[in-house]
Amino acid sequence: MGFTEILRRIVDEEKDALCIAIVGTDGIVVEERLVDSQIDLASVGAEYSSILKDISKVSDSLRFGDVKEVVVFTDKAIVMLKGINKEYFILFAIKPDGNIGKGRFLLRREMPKLEKELQ
Amino acid sequence: MGFTEILRRIVDEEKDALCIAIVGTDGIVVEERLVDSQIDLASVGAEYSSILKDISKVSDSLRFGDVKEVVVFTDKAIVMLKGINKEYFILFAIKPDGNIGKGRFLLRREMPKLEKELQ
């Protein structure tokens, strides 16, 4: 199963999905699936990869260890960021009233396959 | 009911609590309650206030609206940040295997009282 199929599965099972992407830690979107076409995924990927880098630095300096996941709740979206490996993370945005537990579960469930694909 | 009492209530009801604090958006800790005495809450408050500011800027530039809450999952802690008003936020850290749903519920429940206290 390739990237495209994995992303499709996640989006299909989360009715409140807005977009999902595999993003490099350099901010480049490797693969994406857009439900809300108003989202500029290139910008979102770039901005959040920079945020994730900053949070990792802070976590390191506070001796909290590696950052495994970040969830940002905004007016327009809930954005989940979850590291796949040192080079890639997954970005999954759902509607602000979406089911965050379901979203996190889907990412966790598909993670082994993503790790394998991105080895 | 003052700040101290509100923070005490939250910590008492979350068995996995590590620390909780009311932090100014300038990074200064206004009130705190420490369960794990190894945590340097002054540094944690300062670093995460800066992270919250960066995330708000990004959210603004992506037109995602206001940031209401951020949750960071690290090896050593789950850190919840939730805005009280434009000047203060609450920082609540629990053990990495702690119940995030319970933690978020407690913050939500106490929020009206915190807002009132910080008017």
Side-chain angles (χ1 to χ4, degrees):
Chain A
M1 192 192 294
F3 299 152
T4 317
E5 182 60 18
I6 298 170
L7 298 191
R8 193 193 56 73
R9 271 168 62 121
I10 298 174
V11 163
D12 283 357
E13 283 189 54
E14 171 61 86
K15 65 175 178 43
D16 296 314
L18 296 175
C19 66
I20 191 162
I22 295 167
V23 188
T25 45
D26 56 2
I28 308 288
V29 173
V30 176
E31 183 73 52
E32 64 179 66
R33 197 163 177 97
L34 213 55
V35 181
D36 177 348
S37 61
Q38 285 197 305
I39 292 175
D40 171 8
L41 209 35
S43 302
V44 173
E47 295 282 17
Y48 277 108
S49 82
S50 144
I51 288 290
L52 205 51
K53 221 173 282 171
D54 291 344
I55 292 179
S56 296
K57 267 186 224 156
V58 162
S59 184
D60 215 43
S61 82
L62 296 171
R63 281 179 285 181
F64 278 180
D66 285 344
V67 173
K68 293 184 289 189
E69 199 177 336
V70 175
V71 185
V72 180
F73 299 77
T74 76
D75 284 338
K76 303 278 175 61
I78 301 172
V79 185
M80 290 164 257
L81 313 167
K82 191 173 171 73
I84 301 169
N85 56 31
K86 291 280 173 204
E87 281 142 83
Y88 299 98
F89 68 94
I90 193 156
L91 183 157
F92 185 26
I94 62 173
K95 288 182 191 163
D97 55 352
N99 186 338
I100 168 78
K102 175 81 179 288
R104 292 187 63 221
F105 161 76
L106 292 172
L107 293 189
R108 215 162 42 234
R109 191 191 67 188
E110 300 298 329
M111 200 43 73
K113 286 172 222 129
L114 283 169
E115 282 168 1
K116 209 173 150 198
E117 286 287 331
L118 284 157
Q119 256 169 10
Chain B
M1 192 192 292
F3 299 152
T4 317
E5 182 60 18
I6 298 171
L7 298 191
R8 192 193 57 72
R9 271 168 62 121
I10 298 174
V11 163
D12 284 357
E13 284 188 55
E14 170 60 85
K15 65 176 178 42
D16 296 314
L18 296 174
C19 67
I20 190 162
I22 295 167
V23 188
T25 46
D26 56 1
I28 307 289
V29 173
V30 176
E31 183 74 52
E32 64 177 66
R33 196 163 177 98
L34 213 56
V35 181
D36 178 347
S37 61
Q38 286 196 305
I39 292 175
D40 171 8
L41 209 35
S43 302
V44 172
E47 295 282 17
Y48 277 107
S49 82
S50 144
I51 288 290
L52 205 51
K53 222 172 283 171
D54 292 344
I55 293 179
S56 295
K57 267 185 226 156
V58 162
S59 183
D60 215 44
S61 83
L62 296 171
R63 279 178 285 180
F64 278 0
D66 284 345
V67 173
K68 294 184 288 189
E69 199 177 337
V70 175
V71 185
V72 180
F73 299 77
T74 75
D75 283 337
K76 302 277 174 62
I78 301 172
V79 184
M80 290 164 257
L81 312 167
K82 191 173 172 71
I84 301 169
N85 55 31
K86 291 279 172 205
E87 280 141 85
Y88 299 98
F89 67 94
I90 194 156
L91 183 157
F92 185 26
I94 63 173
K95 289 181 190 163
D97 55 352
N99 185 337
I100 169 78
K102 175 81 178 286
R104 292 187 62 222
F105 161 75
L106 292 172
L107 293 188
R108 213 162 42 235
R109 191 190 67 187
E110 301 298 328
M111 200 44 74
K113 287 173 221 128
L114 284 169
E115 281 168 1
K116 209 173 150 197
E117 286 288 331
L118 284 157
Q119 256 170 8

